């Protein structure tokens, strides 16, 4: 998991470790101090000799030769990773700049979108430039900690987007999905969006299974009326879970399916409605208009985008399109167990402003893990599996 990004950042750390260290310059020991009485006698004798010498006529002396000019050591001969300050060595801006260039390449090759890359670089630069390096400090460890902090910040801190980039601010209240469901008025309506092939239908079943284990009652709405196969797939999951599926005929109005499911949940006092939607390509204008209609009719508690972690920057573009159409509140990434690069989670979070709340790690209902910035950082830097 995330092996490519892990290897590239590990190589960057190794490169920092192999850079030559600056040699410590030891000062010459100070001459021993003389006893006060001896120093006084010596100074008195020297003053007397100087007075005698001054009374003699001064012979003509040749013009003194100019003192040799000793140039200061060139900056290139010093260790350019550091600058010297009053309180010790500090990381130089030029050396940090070199590290950031290498970091940018590593992140871009791991499918991290450029805006997220720039945010990480800015954070690392603020943390490292002119930072004091104490004797014995391991510089690679210091750089790694700065990277961890930057990645955590990109995944956790609020993202300010242009007004046209999303339909409305995120309705999700971090950090815990279960707490959101518990506090929200019932029924909680979860609308799932994403293109075909991302594992959206299976993700709906996984979240339904998780909610049932937590004691919630659920209803599933087969809102992808564009494909008869999607309705049959959801029907199979509903049978396995033992829950009610609200379905209409293929080709019917998906907004009416969502409406009927919500009314059923209200009448039967069900806790959560899981609404599936069609998954044609995000460039399909009709699809986006359909999504907007479902969102207006269902008035969902959350719009959850389901994206394929293996799709890289394509998943980012898809998420941004749905964000403009209906406003994405949270993200679930599937196939993370097979994701070698790891860039999708960083990119989608920064591109949409919506937090990643779950990751799919297999095909079983139990293969759904809660996502957190620390979860990802641990796996990138080796603390997690």
């Amino acid at each position: 998991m995330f092996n490519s990004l892990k290897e590239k950042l590990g190589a960057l750390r190794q490169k920092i470790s192999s850079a030559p260290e600056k040699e410590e310059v030891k000062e010459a020991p100070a001459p021993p101090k003389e006893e006060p009485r001896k120093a006084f006698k010596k100074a008195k004798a020297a003053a007397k000799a100087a007075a005698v010498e001054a009374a003699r006529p001064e012979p003509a002396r040749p013009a003194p030769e100019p003192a040799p000019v000793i140039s200061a050591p060139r900056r290139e001969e010093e260790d350019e990773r550091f600058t010297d300050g009053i309180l010790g060595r500090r990381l130089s801006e030029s050396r940090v700049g070199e590290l950031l260039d290498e970091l940018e390449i590593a992140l871009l090759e791991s499918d991290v979108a450029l805006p997220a890359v720039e945010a990480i670089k800015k954070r690392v630069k603020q943390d490292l430039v002119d930072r004091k390096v104490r004797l014995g400090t391991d510089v690679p460890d210091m750089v790694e900690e700065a990277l961890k902090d930057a990645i955590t910040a990109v995944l956790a801190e609020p993202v300010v987007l242009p007004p046209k980039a999303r339909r409305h601010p995120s309705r999700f209240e971090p950090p815990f999905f279960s707490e959101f469901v518990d506090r929200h008025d019932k029924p909680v309506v979860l609308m799932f969006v994403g293109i075909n092939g991302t594992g959206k239908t299976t993700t709906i079943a996984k979240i339904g299974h998780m909610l049932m284990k937590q004691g919630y009652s659920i209803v599933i709405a087969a809102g992808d009326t564009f494909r008869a196969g999607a309705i049959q797939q959801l029907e199979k999951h509903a049978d396995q879970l033992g829950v009610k599926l609200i379905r209409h005929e293929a080709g019917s109005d998906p907004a009416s399916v969502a409406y009927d499911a919500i009314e059923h949940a209200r009448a039967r006092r069900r806790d959560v409605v899981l609404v599936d939607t069609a998954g044609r390509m995000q460039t399909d204008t009709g699809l986006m208009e359909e999504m907007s209609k479902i969102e207006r009719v269902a008035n969902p508690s959350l719009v959850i985008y389901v994206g394929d972690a293996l799709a890289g920057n394509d998943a980012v573009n898809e998420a941004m399109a749905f964000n403009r159409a209906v406003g994405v509140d949270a993200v679930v990434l599937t196939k993370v167990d097979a994701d070698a690069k790891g860039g999708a989670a960083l990119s989608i979070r920064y591109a949409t402003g919506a937090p990643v709340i779950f990751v799919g790690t297999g095909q079983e209902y139990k293969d759904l893990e809660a996502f957190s910035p620390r979860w990802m950082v641990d796996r990138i830097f080796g603390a997690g599996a």
Side-chain angles (χ1 to χ4, degrees):
M1 189 184 298
F2 309 146
N3 288 337
S4 175
L5 184 55
K6 186 184 300 184
E7 289 172 4
K8 291 181 187 303
L9 295 182
L12 180 59
R13 177 193 167 91
Q14 184 62 33
K15 191 168 185 178
I16 299 167
S17 301
S18 61
E21 289 287 348
K22 181 180 180 180
E23 294 183 0
E24 295 291 335
V25 179
K26 296 184 178 180
E27 295 182 0
K33 295 184 179 179
E34 296 180 320
E35 294 182 8
R37 188 172 184 82
K38 290 182 178 179
F40 175 77
K41 290 182 177 179
K42 187 175 181 180
K44 185 177 180 180
K48 187 176 180 180
V52 172
E53 187 68 25
R56 295 177 182 174
E58 185 176 353
R61 295 181 182 177
E65 295 182 3
V69 178
I70 302 175
S71 58
R74 295 181 62 189
R75 195 67 191 162
E76 291 79 6
E77 297 172 357
E78 300 179 0
D79 186 346
E80 294 184 352
R81 293 184 304 163
F82 303 100
T83 57
D84 292 321
I86 297 174
L87 299 178
R89 297 187 300 172
R90 298 177 185 274
L91 283 174
S92 68
E93 185 169 359
S94 61
R95 180 52 179 156
V96 172
E98 293 173 10
L99 295 175
L100 293 178
D101 290 342
E102 295 168 12
L103 174 62
E104 178 176 355
I105 294 171
L107 292 173
L108 289 174
E109 289 179 345
S110 297
D111 282 346
V112 180
L114 185 58
V117 172
E118 293 298 330
I120 292 172
K121 287 173 57 182
K122 180 179 179 181
R123 185 87 179 207
V124 171
K125 183 176 181 179
Q126 290 173 345
D127 199 6
L128 291 182
V129 170
D130 287 337
R131 182 171 173 179
K132 185 168 64 175
V133 182
R134 297 182 182 277
L135 183 64
T137 298
D138 188 82
V139 174
D141 281 349
M142 188 170 69
V143 173
E144 182 174 300
E145 285 303 314
L147 276 171
K148 289 180 179 179
D149 291 344
I151 292 172
T152 300
V154 166
L155 289 169
E157 293 181 354
V159 179
V160 178
L161 297 176
K164 293 183 179 180
R166 62 179 301 129
R167 183 164 176 177
H168 56 72
S170 175
R171 290 169 285 204
F172 181 68
E173 301 170 6
F176 301 115
F177 174 77
S178 58
E179 288 184 1
F180 177 88
V181 173
D182 185 58
R183 292 196 304 263
H184 203 279
D185 294 339
K186 305 300 185 290
V188 177
V189 180
L190 306 177
M191 176 179 167
F192 293 83
V193 301
I195 68 168
N196 294 332
T198 60
K200 177 162 52 70
T201 305
T202 303
T203 297
I204 291 172
K206 286 180 177 181
I207 291 180
H209 176 260
M210 177 196 69
L211 290 170
M212 292 176 67
K213 287 183 66 177
Q214 294 173 356
Y216 296 105
S217 56
I218 69 170
V219 176
I220 300 177
D224 184 359
T225 59
F226 186 75
R227 290 187 309 127
I231 300 174
Q232 295 169 0
Q233 189 179 5
L234 261 183
E235 190 170 33
K236 181 179 179 181
H237 284 304
D239 289 342
Q240 291 178 344
L241 293 171
V243 300
K244 178 69 174 179
L245 175 72
I246 304 299
R247 52 168 295 179
H248 291 185
E249 295 299 321
S252 58
D253 181 9
S256 66
V257 178
Y259 178 83
D260 288 349
I262 295 168
E263 289 302 305
H264 175 88
R266 286 174 178 158
R268 302 298 177 89
R269 297 185 181 277
R270 299 296 186 255
D271 298 315
V272 184
V273 181
L274 309 175
V275 182
D276 188 19
T277 61
R280 303 190 295 278
M281 290 300 293
Q282 77 278 8
T283 53
D284 188 329
T285 304
L287 169 66
M288 290 304 164
E289 292 176 352
E290 180 181 292
M291 294 297 106
S292 297
K293 182 180 178 182
I294 297 172
E295 196 267 341
R296 289 194 304 271
V297 171
N299 189 25
S301 311
L302 292 178
V303 174
I304 300 175
Y305 168 74
V306 180
D308 184 346
L310 301 178
N313 282 317
D314 287 340
V316 178
N317 294 330
E318 294 160 11
M320 292 173 66
F322 283 106
N323 204 26
R324 289 190 294 269
V326 294
V328 173
D329 298 303
V331 176
V332 176
L333 284 178
T334 63
K335 308 174 188 176
V336 169
D337 52 316
D339 182 17
K341 294 189 173 182
L346 287 167
S347 302
I348 289 177
R349 162 61 176 158
Y350 202 76
T352 65
V356 180
I357 56 174
F358 293 111
V359 290
T361 56
Q363 293 300 313
E364 302 295 326
Y365 289 158
K366 63 179 177 59
D367 296 330
L368 186 73
E369 293 189 41
F371 180 92
S372 70
R374 179 53 56 188
W375 180 93
M376 184 166 187
V377 167
D378 286 346
R379 278 151 184 79
I380 292 175
F381 292 95

